[in-house]
Amino acid sequence: MKGKNEKALISILRDHGLHATFQRLAIYEALISTHEHPTAETIYQQIKKRFPIVSLGTVYKTLETFCEVGLIHKVNPLTGVARYDAITGHHHHLVCMKCHSIEDAESIVEEPRLSEQNGFRVLRQQVFFHGYCPSCRESISG
Amino acid sequence: MKGKNEKALISILRDHGLHATFQRLAIYEALISTHEHPTAETIYQQIKKRFPIVSLGTVYKTLETFCEVGLIHKVNPLTGVARYDAITGHHHHLVCMKCHSIEDAESIVEEPRLSEQNGFRVLRQQVFFHGYCPSCRESISG
DNA sequence: ATACCTGCAAAGGCTTTGCGGTTCG
DNA sequence: CGAACCGCAAAGCCTTTGCAGGTAT
């Protein structure tokens, strides 16, 4: 994605049904130019160097819009509120994107519990499946 | 865990180096009695029925303490701040528990991308590996 | 006896919202 | 031109913090 010219970016935004404003171009460009999974604040700080007028509120709104149309993803799989679990063993979670229920799921594949990867010491792993629980699925697609 | 008597719960708390207060017993009991991955607020509401005096602040503190000693887990793998990612393809994340950096990781095992499980329609899956990145690892264990 | 824990209330931080004005298509 | 979008600032949550009093060991 890196190095994409402005025209290509404009097309991408329009293909997703969005107006191509310079704020959006700047935000999207900032996001595809890094692998650091930045926060809204971080993106805001970076953009401000080139466009001192952009506001933090717009960055939030824009990122949310991008998520809605599927252009980007939130890395954080939940919606802000902390959720707790007394089961500390290895298992997965089925997260409903509508009602935000969280169900446990068995480990489907017995994955290797790597203790290292690229020098990164892994202490715990979690798998999230996002989608629609049976009842929400019904209420959405009929 | 369900149905554990009070004595057993007290032992569990003590084994983790914690004082056994009735607030903690109530909070822990509430958490092991459900599979709904409740929020602090939810636990608070439930406990209030039996012990109207317990405060929400204590629930938060207690849950945090339980996490620190490994008695429970936060389901949410990050620390409250939303993080964004322009790469929407299937990949994993290495989350540093100290500096909160997030690196991409390749899919180690080619997992089956189930579209269904228990009637749950899966649209996206994310795997989080929590641990220490190379530099934090160094600064912790010498 | 003392270190730990709780309740209360205030503060903090992240995110959303409302509104008037502006811009894109 | 109309709908979509932006900046600004205030409000809204969720969570943490500080402190004085109480409790477990």
Side-chain angles (χ1 to χ4, degrees):
Chain A
M1 283 294 222
K2 208 164 186 172
K4 231 163 196 149
N5 62 32
E6 197 169 300
K7 252 180 195 146
L9 297 182
I10 291 176
S11 298
I12 291 173
L13 291 177
R14 293 201 178 138
D15 289 349
H16 285 81
L18 303 174
H19 282 187
T21 66
F22 80 87
Q23 291 93 335
R24 289 180 171 178
L25 288 171
I27 291 169
Y28 187 53
E29 198 175 8
L31 197 49
I32 62 179
S33 305
T34 180
H35 286 148
E36 297 192 354
H37 308 80
T39 65
E41 178 72 34
T42 306
I43 292 173
Y44 170 60
Q45 293 300 338
Q46 184 180 341
I47 290 175
K48 224 169 40 173
K49 294 177 199 161
R50 285 194 297 161
F51 307 102
I53 303 185
V54 174
S55 81
L56 179 57
T58 295
V59 174
Y60 272 106
K61 282 181 208 167
T62 301
L63 289 169
E64 196 52 37
T65 303
F66 284 177
C67 285
E68 280 166 13
V69 300
L71 188 55
I72 67 171
H73 275 164
K74 248 185 194 161
V75 176
N76 194 320
L78 301 179
T79 54
V81 199
R83 304 280 291 254
Y84 299 89
D85 191 350
I87 301 175
T88 55
H90 182 54
H91 66 291
H92 300 168
H93 292 114
L94 295 168
V95 183
C96 181
M97 293 163 74
K98 189 179 176 212
C99 70
H100 303 124
S101 68
I102 302 177
E103 283 178 64
D104 291 330
E106 292 305 311
S107 177
I108 302 160
V109 188
E110 196 50 43
E111 298 163 59
R113 303 201 66 189
L114 299 207
S115 65
E116 293 212 13
Q117 180 168 342
N118 310 333
F120 192 104
R121 170 172 293 163
V122 176
L123 300 178
R124 181 187 171 202
Q125 76 174 263
Q126 270 190 107
V127 182
F128 289 87
F129 297 94
H130 308 259
Y132 295 109
C133 70
S135 59
C136 285
R137 180 180 173 176
E138 200 171 316
S139 70
I140 284 176
S141 55
Chain B
M1 283 296 222
K2 208 164 187 170
K4 237 172 189 140
N5 63 30
E6 196 170 301
K7 256 184 191 142
L9 296 182
I10 291 176
S11 297
I12 291 173
L13 291 177
R14 292 199 179 142
D15 289 348
H16 285 81
L18 303 175
H19 282 187
T21 66
F22 79 87
Q23 291 92 336
R24 288 179 172 179
L25 288 171
I27 291 168
Y28 187 52
E29 199 175 7
L31 197 49
I32 62 181
S33 305
T34 179
H35 287 149
E36 298 191 354
H37 309 79
T39 65
E41 178 71 34
T42 306
I43 293 172
Y44 171 61
Q45 293 300 338
Q46 184 179 339
I47 290 175
K48 225 170 37 174
K49 295 176 198 160
R50 284 194 299 159
F51 307 103
I53 305 186
V54 174
S55 80
L56 179 58
T58 295
V59 174
Y60 272 106
K61 282 181 207 167
T62 301
L63 289 168
E64 195 52 37
T65 303
F66 285 177
C67 284
E68 280 167 14
V69 301
L71 187 56
I72 67 172
H73 275 164
K74 248 184 195 161
V75 176
N76 193 320
L78 300 178
T79 54
V81 198
R83 304 279 291 254
Y84 299 89
D85 192 350
I87 301 174
T88 54
H90 181 55
H91 66 290
H92 300 167
H93 292 114
L94 294 167
V95 183
C96 181
M97 293 164 74
K98 190 179 175 209
C99 70
H100 302 124
S101 67
I102 303 177
E103 283 177 65
D104 290 331
E106 292 305 312
S107 177
I108 301 162
V109 188
E110 196 50 42
E111 299 164 57
R113 303 201 65 187
L114 299 208
S115 65
E116 294 211 13
Q117 180 169 340
N118 310 334
F120 191 104
R121 169 171 294 163
V122 176
L123 299 179
R124 181 186 172 203
Q125 77 173 263
Q126 271 188 105
V127 182
F128 289 87
F129 297 94
H130 307 258
Y132 295 109
C133 69
S135 59
C136 285
R137 180 180 173 177
E138 201 171 314
S139 70
I140 284 175
S141 56

